[in-house]
PDB file of all heavy atoms in Angstrom:
ATOM      1  N   THR A 114     112.123  76.057 100.413  1.00 95.00           N
ATOM      2  CA  THR A 114     111.513  77.254  99.864  1.00 95.00           C
ATOM      3  C   THR A 114     111.929  78.441 100.725  1.00 95.00           C
ATOM      4  O   THR A 114     112.143  78.294 101.907  1.00 95.00           O
ATOM      5  CB  THR A 114     109.984  77.201  99.700  1.00 95.00           C
ATOM      6  OG1 THR A 114     109.523  76.994 101.025  1.00 95.00           O
ATOM      7  CG2 THR A 114     109.564  76.018  98.823  1.00 95.00           C
ATOM      8  N   ILE A 115     111.915  79.577 100.096  1.00 93.00           N
ATOM      9  CA  ILE A 115     112.128  80.829 100.763  1.00 93.00           C
ATOM     10  C   ILE A 115     110.902  81.193 101.663  1.00 93.00           C
ATOM     11  O   ILE A 115     109.793  81.307 101.096  1.00 93.00           O
ATOM     12  CB  ILE A 115     112.497  82.032  99.891  1.00 93.00           C
ATOM     13  CG1 ILE A 115     113.750  81.716  99.101  1.00 93.00           C
ATOM     14  CG2 ILE A 115     112.526  83.319 100.691  1.00 93.00           C
ATOM     15  CD1 ILE A 115     114.154  82.821  98.094  1.00 93.00           C
ATOM     16  N   ALA A 116     111.052  81.056 102.977  1.00 92.00           N
ATOM     17  CA  ALA A 116     110.048  81.342 103.913  1.00 92.00           C
ATOM     18  C   ALA A 116     109.991  82.765 104.331  1.00 92.00           C
ATOM     19  O   ALA A 116     108.820  83.309 104.753  1.00 92.00           O
ATOM     20  CB  ALA A 116     110.146  80.456 105.082  1.00 92.00           C
ATOM     21  N   GLU A 117     111.065  83.458 104.332  1.00 88.00           N
ATOM     22  CA  GLU A 117     111.177  84.834 104.855  1.00 88.00           C
ATOM     23  C   GLU A 117     112.443  85.449 104.270  1.00 88.00           C
ATOM     24  O   GLU A 117     113.376  84.763 103.938  1.00 88.00           O
ATOM     25  CB  GLU A 117     111.310  84.680 106.412  1.00 88.00           C
ATOM     26  CG  GLU A 117     111.181  85.971 107.189  1.00 88.00           C
ATOM     27  CD  GLU A 117     111.335  85.616 108.674  1.00 88.00           C
ATOM     28  OE1 GLU A 117     111.376  84.603 109.133  1.00 88.00           O
ATOM     29  OE2 GLU A 117     111.439  86.658 109.388  1.00 88.00           O
ATOM     30  N   VAL A 118     112.433  86.815 104.174  1.00 86.00           N
ATOM     31  CA  VAL A 118     113.537  87.534 103.744  1.00 86.00           C
ATOM     32  C   VAL A 118     113.826  88.572 104.842  1.00 86.00           C
ATOM     33  O   VAL A 118     113.015  89.455 105.116  1.00 86.00           O
ATOM     34  CB  VAL A 118     113.371  88.213 102.347  1.00 86.00           C
ATOM     35  CG1 VAL A 118     114.627  89.059 102.004  1.00 86.00           C
ATOM     36  CG2 VAL A 118     113.092  87.241 101.242  1.00 86.00           C
ATOM     37  N   LEU A 119     114.986  88.378 105.508  1.00 85.00           N
ATOM     38  CA  LEU A 119     115.487  89.312 106.603  1.00 85.00           C
ATOM     39  C   LEU A 119     116.170  90.508 105.837  1.00 85.00           C
ATOM     40  O   LEU A 119     116.863  90.306 104.860  1.00 85.00           O
ATOM     41  CB  LEU A 119     116.401  88.526 107.561  1.00 85.00           C
ATOM     42  CG  LEU A 119     115.878  87.284 108.186  1.00 85.00           C
ATOM     43  CD1 LEU A 119     116.928  86.654 108.982  1.00 85.00           C
ATOM     44  CD2 LEU A 119     114.670  87.587 108.984  1.00 85.00           C
ATOM     45  N   THR A 120     115.972  91.711 106.448  1.00 79.00           N
ATOM     46  CA  THR A 120     116.593  92.836 105.815  1.00 79.00           C
ATOM     47  C   THR A 120     117.447  93.668 106.813  1.00 79.00           C
ATOM     48  O   THR A 120     117.087  94.847 107.063  1.00 79.00           O
ATOM     49  CB  THR A 120     115.430  93.745 105.191  1.00 79.00           C
ATOM     50  OG1 THR A 120     114.550  94.062 106.257  1.00 79.00           O
ATOM     51  CG2 THR A 120     114.715  93.091 104.098  1.00 79.00           C
ATOM     52  N   PRO A 121     118.476  93.032 107.297  1.00 76.00           N
ATOM     53  CA  PRO A 121     119.353  93.816 108.169  1.00 76.00           C
ATOM     54  C   PRO A 121     120.162  94.800 107.304  1.00 76.00           C
ATOM     55  O   PRO A 121     120.070  94.718 106.066  1.00 76.00           O
ATOM     56  CB  PRO A 121     120.316  92.739 108.713  1.00 76.00           C
ATOM     57  CG  PRO A 121     120.320  91.603 107.737  1.00 76.00           C
ATOM     58  CD  PRO A 121     118.946  91.673 107.154  1.00 76.00           C
ATOM     59  N   PRO A 122     120.826  95.777 107.959  1.00 76.00           N
ATOM     60  CA  PRO A 122     121.435  96.872 107.154  1.00 76.00           C
ATOM     61  C   PRO A 122     122.408  96.448 106.077  1.00 76.00           C
ATOM     62  O   PRO A 122     122.438  97.027 104.955  1.00 76.00           O
ATOM     63  CB  PRO A 122     122.205  97.650 108.185  1.00 76.00           C
ATOM     64  CG  PRO A 122     121.511  97.394 109.513  1.00 76.00           C
ATOM     65  CD  PRO A 122     120.975  95.958 109.325  1.00 76.00           C
ATOM     66  N   ALA A 123     123.164  95.434 106.207  1.00 78.00           N
ATOM     67  CA  ALA A 123     124.182  95.082 105.250  1.00 78.00           C
ATOM     68  C   ALA A 123     123.615  94.542 103.935  1.00 78.00           C
ATOM     69  O   ALA A 123     123.934  95.003 102.816  1.00 78.00           O
ATOM     70  CB  ALA A 123     125.201  94.074 105.803  1.00 78.00           C
ATOM     71  N   HIS A 124     122.757  93.519 103.973  1.00 83.00           N
ATOM     72  CA  HIS A 124     122.154  92.908 102.830  1.00 83.00           C
ATOM     73  C   HIS A 124     121.050  91.961 103.251  1.00 83.00           C
ATOM     74  O   HIS A 124     120.984  91.624 104.390  1.00 83.00           O
ATOM     75  CB  HIS A 124     123.183  92.058 101.998  1.00 83.00           C
ATOM     76  CG  HIS A 124     124.060  91.242 102.848  1.00 83.00           C
ATOM     77  ND1 HIS A 124     123.571  90.036 103.373  1.00 83.00           N
ATOM     78  CD2 HIS A 124     125.322  91.302 103.370  1.00 83.00           C
ATOM     79  CE1 HIS A 124     124.549  89.410 104.129  1.00 83.00           C
ATOM     80  NE2 HIS A 124     125.554  90.224 104.107  1.00 83.00           N
ATOM     81  N   GLU A 125     120.156  91.661 102.282  1.00 86.00           N
ATOM     82  CA  GLU A 125     119.098  90.690 102.626  1.00 86.00           C
ATOM     83  C   GLU A 125     119.649  89.356 102.908  1.00 86.00           C
ATOM     84  O   GLU A 125     120.633  88.911 102.456  1.00 86.00           O
ATOM     85  CB  GLU A 125     118.140  90.634 101.427  1.00 86.00           C
ATOM     86  CG  GLU A 125     117.369  91.949 101.171  1.00 86.00           C
ATOM     87  CD  GLU A 125     116.587  91.950  99.929  1.00 86.00           C
ATOM     88  OE1 GLU A 125     116.727  91.122  99.086  1.00 86.00           O
ATOM     89  OE2 GLU A 125     115.778  92.910  99.809  1.00 86.00           O
ATOM     90  N   VAL A 126     118.852  88.587 103.700  1.00 89.00           N
ATOM     91  CA  VAL A 126     119.224  87.205 103.987  1.00 89.00           C
ATOM     92  C   VAL A 126     117.926  86.410 103.776  1.00 89.00           C
ATOM     93  O   VAL A 126     116.938  86.681 104.305  1.00 89.00           O
ATOM     94  CB  VAL A 126     119.639  87.072 105.471  1.00 89.00           C
ATOM     95  CG1 VAL A 126     119.926  85.577 105.836  1.00 89.00           C
ATOM     96  CG2 VAL A 126     120.890  87.868 105.708  1.00 89.00           C
ATOM     97  N   TYR A 127     118.107  85.317 103.018  1.00 91.00           N
ATOM     98  CA  TYR A 127     116.967  84.451 102.661  1.00 91.00           C
ATOM     99  C   TYR A 127     116.949  83.338 103.764  1.00 91.00           C
ATOM    100  O   TYR A 127     117.935  82.672 103.991  1.00 91.00           O
ATOM    101  CB  TYR A 127     117.082  83.708 101.309  1.00 91.00           C
ATOM    102  CG  TYR A 127     117.153  84.734 100.140  1.00 91.00           C
ATOM    103  CD1 TYR A 127     117.550  84.267  98.895  1.00 91.00           C
ATOM    104  CD2 TYR A 127     116.715  86.037 100.166  1.00 91.00           C
ATOM    105  CE1 TYR A 127     117.534  85.063  97.808  1.00 91.00           C
ATOM    106  CE2 TYR A 127     116.717  86.885  99.147  1.00 91.00           C
ATOM    107  CZ  TYR A 127     117.101  86.370  97.922  1.00 91.00           C
ATOM    108  OH  TYR A 127     117.156  87.211  96.859  1.00 91.00           O
ATOM    109  N   VAL A 128     115.695  83.190 104.340  1.00 92.00           N
ATOM    110  CA  VAL A 128     115.514  82.121 105.307  1.00 92.00           C
ATOM    111  C   VAL A 128     114.807  81.016 104.425  1.00 92.00           C
ATOM    112  O   VAL A 128     113.687  81.141 104.011  1.00 92.00           O
ATOM    113  CB  VAL A 128     114.578  82.538 106.468  1.00 92.00           C
ATOM    114  CG1 VAL A 128     114.270  81.379 107.457  1.00 92.00           C
ATOM    115  CG2 VAL A 128     115.244  83.729 107.204  1.00 92.00           C
ATOM    116  N   VAL A 129     115.554  79.936 104.374  1.00 94.00           N
ATOM    117  CA  VAL A 129     115.015  78.740 103.444  1.00 94.00           C
ATOM    118  C   VAL A 129     114.746  77.643 104.466  1.00 94.00           C
ATOM    119  O   VAL A 129     115.478  77.212 105.195  1.00 94.00           O
ATOM    120  CB  VAL A 129     116.150  78.299 102.540  1.00 94.00           C
ATOM    121  CG1 VAL A 129     115.654  77.198 101.635  1.00 94.00           C
ATOM    122  CG2 VAL A 129     116.480  79.552 101.586  1.00 94.00           C
ATOM    123  N   ARG A 130     113.432  77.126 104.329  1.00 94.00           N
ATOM    124  CA  ARG A 130     113.043  76.017 105.166  1.00 94.00           C
ATOM    125  C   ARG A 130     112.598  74.839 104.249  1.00 94.00           C
ATOM    126  O   ARG A 130     111.942  74.979 103.302  1.00 94.00           O
ATOM    127  CB  ARG A 130     111.818  76.421 106.023  1.00 94.00           C
ATOM    128  CG  ARG A 130     112.178  77.459 107.020  1.00 94.00           C
ATOM    129  CD  ARG A 130     111.172  77.676 108.085  1.00 94.00           C
ATOM    130  NE  ARG A 130     111.533  78.704 108.982  1.00 94.00           N
ATOM    131  CZ  ARG A 130     110.946  79.978 109.021  1.00 94.00           C
ATOM    132  NH1 ARG A 130     109.982  80.172 108.274  1.00 94.00           N
ATOM    133  NH2 ARG A 130     111.444  80.872 109.788  1.00 94.00           N
ATOM    134  N   GLY A 131     113.097  73.707 104.665  1.00 91.00           N
ATOM    135  CA  GLY A 131     112.755  72.440 104.020  1.00 91.00           C
ATOM    136  C   GLY A 131     113.367  71.217 104.529  1.00 91.00           C
ATOM    137  O   GLY A 131     114.434  71.271 105.031  1.00 91.00           O
ATOM    138  N   LYS A 132     112.664  70.119 104.444  1.00 84.00           N
ATOM    139  CA  LYS A 132     113.225  68.800 104.819  1.00 84.00           C
ATOM    140  C   LYS A 132     113.864  68.807 106.242  1.00 84.00           C
ATOM    141  O   LYS A 132     114.894  68.316 106.373  1.00 84.00           O
ATOM    142  CB  LYS A 132     114.201  68.321 103.792  1.00 84.00           C
ATOM    143  CG  LYS A 132     113.551  68.125 102.435  1.00 84.00           C
ATOM    144  CD  LYS A 132     114.583  67.617 101.389  1.00 84.00           C
ATOM    145  CE  LYS A 132     113.958  67.579 100.007  1.00 84.00           C
ATOM    146  NZ  LYS A 132     114.876  67.869  99.026  1.00 84.00           N
ATOM    147  N   GLY A 133     113.102  69.433 107.177  1.00 88.00           N
ATOM    148  CA  GLY A 133     113.653  69.474 108.523  1.00 88.00           C
ATOM    149  C   GLY A 133     114.825  70.339 108.800  1.00 88.00           C
ATOM    150  O   GLY A 133     115.425  70.340 109.829  1.00 88.00           O
ATOM    151  N   LYS A 134     115.246  71.132 107.750  1.00 91.00           N
ATOM    152  CA  LYS A 134     116.382  72.014 107.876  1.00 91.00           C
ATOM    153  C   LYS A 134     116.053  73.428 107.632  1.00 91.00           C
ATOM    154  O   LYS A 134     115.103  73.685 106.963  1.00 91.00           O
ATOM    155  CB  LYS A 134     117.484  71.627 107.030  1.00 91.00           C
ATOM    156  CG  LYS A 134     118.330  70.440 107.440  1.00 91.00           C
ATOM    157  CD  LYS A 134     119.608  70.281 106.559  1.00 91.00           C
ATOM    158  CE  LYS A 134     120.605  69.412 107.310  1.00 91.00           C
ATOM    159  NZ  LYS A 134     121.887  69.418 106.594  1.00 91.00           N
TER     160      LYS A 134
END
Side-chain angles (χ1 to χ4, degrees):
T114 59
I115 297 177
E117 188 178 355
V118 177
L119 306 177
T120 57
H124 48 75
E125 294 172 349
V126 176
Y127 297 167
V128 178
V129 178
R130 293 194 184 109
K132 299 179 184 147
K134 281 193 163 189

